[in-house]
Amino acid sequence: MSVVDAQREESQLSLTIVKPSRGWAGVNLRELWSYRELIYFLIWRDIKVRYKQTLLGAAWAILKPFFSMIVFSVIFGSLARIPTDEVPPPLFYFAGLLPWVFFQDGITKASNSLVSGRNLITKVYFPRLAIPLSSVVAGVVDFCLAFLVLLGMMVFYGYRPTQAIWTLPLFMLLALATALGGGLWLAALNVAYRDIGYVTPFIVQAWLYASPVVYSATLITGDLWQVVYGLNPMAGVVQGFRWAILGVGQPPTSSLLASIAVALSLLISGVLYFRRMERTFADVV
Amino acid sequence: MTEIAIRVEDLGKQYRIGEQIIGYRTLRDTLVDIAAAPFRRLSSGIRGSTSIERQETIWALRHVSFEVHPGDVLGIIGRNGAGKSTLLKLLSRITEPTEGIASIRGRVGSLLEVGTGFHPELTGRENIFLNGAILGMKRVEIERRFDEIVGFAEVEKFIDTPVKRYSSGMYLRLAFAVAAHLEPEILLVDEVLAVGDAEFQRKCLGKMSDVSQQGRTVLFVSHNMSAILNLTKKAIVLDEGCLVLHTSTEEAVDHYLASGFSQTGERLWRADEIPFTAAPFRPLALRVLDPDQRVAETLRSSEPITLEFDYTLDKAITGLRVGIVLMTNRGEYVFTSFDTDALEQFENFSMRQPGRYRSRCHIPADFLNGGQYTVTVIASAFRVKRYFREDGALTFNVDSTGSPGAHWPESRPGPVRPWLDWQIEEISVDDIVA
């Protein structure tokens, strides 16, 4: 009884109004903040559960990009002999794969997050943004583990991080915004159209080849192509990543602004669309 | 005059048919839908945008208004599909109303299903924190009440075991324990008691009455009329999405049981539903009837219940017996009985001629316990052929109001609840010593 009373005083009996909403809605940051513990627990759950009942556990966070690196090194490096900016192919691919895998995991998990979290959505209220947000952010842990391996590889190949390494978090933020923006769109669409679950792998695959992961951005020449390339935020992220760590290629200066603009508009439009569709999630999912 | 805890004004929720109203979807539905989606798109494009408005809609809830004062415990009754769950979903903000407004003063906790967000791979300890956070508890609150929750659930030994290794009973106890330790000003409870064994249900009811005595506002949905009677003083009755009554619980329960809330107390067979192996036996209808011979979904255990099975024989059958198997919704057998069990009947109907028949039986009053029962129908010739069998052809609820011991707010284990002849006599100490 005393506990209830104390809470009553504390909460001043907040008033909740339930009524139909119309049109577009922005993000209720205050509400999102008040649910920060839930978001924290959802991220924590995603990390905890990710590699449960696997033999190798968290090692998969490293092995996933590592296997891709080996395949790329053999096929694109040794067989196709695609130039890798004078960097040993394994290091070149691994540095590109790190932000890419983070992005790929983030957007894939986010797009599926509402559907797999349907029993939450239909049973409890909380800001729905928490679900895709936590699936994207949970990937940061995987990224950090793999990053340690990258550092090890750099020691092995005798590379020292460049001065520009401080810009890395910026590129990570850009990747996160892009993954979240795309993920919000796909997640909200997936609720109504399960086709999205089938389409997402193709989007991700096409996106991979549209980003300089298996090749060097220096291959892209011509003003027109540069501009088109700048529209893909992940191109800026991957390119910038290699530049910041290995010091190869160009700093993505002019195209970076375009990348940021595109990523932000993807994120903002994603949030708006998500918030608009959010009201019907529980009915449709 | 105190403030109102919940004020609901003209609340309504419209669903498009095919969204929520269809209970569950099969994989085939989904595949068909995926395959048909482009065509549907195409055809709606041709027909123009009006097709959206032409889609069939249904009001799951409409023109519902009521007020609840702080500390009140309000029961919500109505048969399946009456809008009870929709109302709770609207109040807990899981879904938005189509019209109307509700204002709620205080923190709302909803118990629409225990174990929401439990993850099978996580341990009991981890799930307590996760589930608590999902239900809106702060981490410090969960930490403070952690031992209490574990104690209530009686899972101390398994607290660091993944819950997928739990028995279903342990799982439910843990899930309910977390939910029961929520401390919101307003608690919305839906049918939590429909799951679990009798012992668990008794515990839930006990906890529920604790909660209501702490002066918290509770909205309580249940099919269990004795629970409603014991826990609430006022109740609203919903029917087809409309509020038909807001009054004292006794009156509401009487109204609910008396009015012909009868939609599902009947199973009718269409020709295409009957397997061809059943020939020449053709089932027509199976009904549950109340003492007034009306089809009913919910019946009182204190009154006799009639089961009626109509069928046609296209050819004569020798040694046919038609009967029912009664089971609880938890799958316990109650009894199996055939229309030719009596030797006299068996001889009279040794050969059943072609024609239309009705086999009916009466379950006596004060026999069944409260709960949900399913009826399986069988038509067979002993050791010759089973013509027809349908498991769970019909489901009905039995309300235990007025049955033995109904003054204790508990569910009793066991499918039957008869009046037994009890004698209590005081025996002197000398007798014991001797």
Side-chain angles (χ1 to χ4, degrees), chain B residues 173-307:
Chain B
R173 282 204 305 273
L174 183 65
F176 185 81
V178 181
H181 289 80
L182 270 173
E183 291 173 339
E185 286 89 22
I186 297 171
L187 192 60
L188 310 177
V189 187
D190 187 5
E191 234 27 291
V192 216
L193 310 162
V195 290
D197 53 24
E199 167 65 13
F200 173 70
Q201 294 193 1
R202 191 194 54 73
K203 208 165 175 176
C204 295
L205 278 169
K207 189 74 196 175
M208 280 291 307
S209 68
D210 287 355
V211 167
S212 55
Q213 276 158 24
Q214 282 165 9
R216 268 182 268 168
T217 314
V218 183
L219 261 63
F220 181 47
V221 164
S222 179
H223 278 123
N224 183 339
M225 289 301 137
S226 43
I228 292 257
L229 278 167
N230 278 305
L231 296 175
T232 70
K233 291 197 176 61
K234 286 192 162 183
I236 57 176
V237 181
L238 293 177
D239 185 31
E240 293 183 346
C242 297
L243 193 151
V244 291
L245 207 62
H246 181 180
T247 176
S248 73
T249 303
E250 287 80 8
E251 210 174 312
V253 168
D254 276 349
H255 175 87
Y256 171 73
L257 292 177
S259 59
F261 283 106
S262 54
Q263 290 288 308
T264 57
E266 188 170 28
R267 165 84 166 99
L268 300 171
W269 278 271
R270 292 194 315 268
D272 59 327
E273 286 178 295
I274 305 165
F276 61 92
T277 51
F281 180 90
R282 270 196 293 136
L284 298 172
L286 176 69
R287 300 182 195 93
V288 188
L289 305 173
D290 66 10
D292 299 326
Q293 304 306 307
R294 283 182 311 194
V295 176
E297 181 197 17
T298 299
L299 303 108
R300 290 170 187 262
S301 65
S302 55
E303 291 174 344
I305 298 165
T306 304
L307 288 168

Side-chain angles (χ1 to χ4, degrees), chain A residues 159-173:
Chain A
Y159 271 80
R160 290 181 60 190
T162 66
Q163 300 274 306
I165 197 159
W166 62 268
T167 55
L168 265 193
L170 184 83
F171 293 116
M172 278 303 287
L173 270 181

Side-chain angles (χ1 to χ4, degrees), chain A residues 219-232:
Chain A
L219 287 182
I220 307 295
T221 50
D223 289 344
L224 182 66
W225 280 114
Q226 297 262 349
V227 172
V228 174
Y229 216 57
L231 293 179
N232 173 9

